[in-house]
Amino acid sequence: MPSMPLRQSLRLGRYLAEQKLRGREKFPLLVELEPLFACNLKCTGCGKIQEPAALLKQRMPVEQAVAAIEESGAPMVSIAGGEPLMHPQIHEIVQQLLDRKKIVFLCTNALLMARHIDKFTPHPDFSWMVHVDGMKERHDASVSKEGGFEAAIDAIKLVQSRGFRVMTNTTVFNSDSPQDVIDVLDYLNDEIKVDNMQIAPGYAYWKAPDQNGFLGVEETRALFAKAFGEGRRKKWRLNHSPLFLDFLEGKVDFECTPWAIPSYSLKGWQRPCYLLDDGYVSTYKELIEDTDWEAFGRGKDERCANCMAHCGYEPTAVVATMGSLRQTLRAAVA
């Protein structure tokens, strides 16, 4: 199934071609924008709400958020947090980015979507990205909230009825079986009929309350090889390049491209990536020019040993796809 709308694929292809023509070696495909750290949940795999109370009360000004994206030049923006819908001007940030021809994904746990839906308007470059970490029991345990699963599904159905594009993001932990993955993706794909789905192995984020639930590399490969078997991978509307899915299954290996999906938050540009915290700089230029990018990745930094995260390896797969006619054609029909 197609991984993303054709018009967006073509735009991304043009962007990559432009970077090559300009001779740029390091450039962003997408920026993880965190305009706040506050959240209305306490998920076991996330530690954002452990930030100091004063920081949790802060909200990034619209102008600051937009200026950071403009400085980077990234064609795509994933707005996360915390919970973005707790930001009183989040709809303004989204609209200003859309006005600047950015492709925008608004990541949410969906609990506040019904309350704020009227502030948003459907747009071909805007998608809700709803976190669904499994079927009811699994999801509710992940977000530490009874009823979280039903709330997310109800919210998805609501925004679908309003004409919005809806995607989901599912994080897999070592307590998940291949059948768990199959069940939730079948449900989202066939019954809820979301537009696209993302899936990723959980990374051992150092502030996460649960440090024992993360997958190792071999565990990840074995789990996805079984989950993707019997033709299921081709049936699901997965928002990933075929090469990244090959990577998850262990059919191909890549090096991390940590600079391709940088993170910008209330603290600034996070060095070196969304998952590691080696300090912050105030400008994108500083991030790119003053970071030792060769020091990160599996085999280079022990913190990266079990990482197979989308933010590091999907960009590698995308660039490899665009650099190969065979892989480009494969992605177009996958």
Side-chain angles (χ1 to χ4, degrees), residues 12-71:
L12 183 59
R14 286 196 299 271
Y15 172 78
L16 290 171
E18 289 171 3
Q19 308 315 304
K20 186 172 184 179
L21 286 173
R22 293 177 181 177
R24 294 181 68 187
E25 295 183 357
K26 295 180 175 61
F27 49 85
L29 293 180
L30 176 148
V31 170
E32 292 273 4
L33 176 65
E34 297 180 311
L36 80 172
F37 289 123
C39 190
N40 52 354
L41 287 178
K42 298 179 180 179
C43 299
T44 59
C46 176
K48 296 294 182 181
I49 60 172
Q50 293 182 28
E51 297 289 350
L55 191 57
L56 291 176
K57 293 178 181 178
Q58 292 184 30
R59 306 292 183 262
M60 186 182 293
V62 175
E63 297 77 12
Q64 180 182 342
V66 174
I69 303 304
E70 288 282 82
E71 183 203 359

Side-chain angles (χ1 to χ4, degrees), residues 98-219:
L98 291 173
D99 290 345
R100 288 163 173 78
K101 310 297 184 184
K102 304 300 181 182
I103 298 168
V104 182
F105 308 95
L106 182 57
C107 303
T108 176
N109 57 42
L111 297 181
L112 298 174
M113 283 174 71
R115 186 185 306 177
H116 296 290
I117 183 63
D118 291 334
K119 298 177 182 178
F120 297 87
T121 303
H123 189 287
D125 288 330
F126 174 66
S127 299
W128 295 96
M129 177 75 77
V130 180
H131 294 271
V132 181
D133 281 344
M135 298 301 287
K136 174 178 168 48
E137 182 178 352
R138 177 69 191 87
H139 177 84
D140 288 0
S142 177
V143 301
S144 303
K145 182 177 177 63
E146 184 70 26
F149 178 78
E150 286 95 341
I153 298 304
D154 288 346
I156 289 172
K157 292 177 178 178
L158 172 63
V159 296
Q160 285 177 323
S161 74
R162 299 285 191 93
F164 287 92
R165 177 176 168 80
V166 186
M167 301 170 63
T168 56
N169 184 27
T170 300
T171 302
V172 179
F173 297 91
N174 63 15
S175 56
D176 292 303
S177 68
Q179 192 60 49
D180 291 330
V181 175
I182 293 167
D183 289 345
V184 70
L185 293 186
D186 273 347
Y187 177 71
L188 295 170
N189 191 87
D190 300 338
E191 295 190 41
I192 305 303
K193 294 180 169 56
V194 298
D195 292 280
N196 284 117
M197 302 171 291
Q198 285 190 180
I199 188 164
Y203 172 79
Y205 182 63
W206 65 285
K207 283 188 175 181
D210 177 13
Q211 288 292 314
N212 299 313
F214 298 104
L215 291 158
V217 171
E218 294 307 319
E219 289 178 295

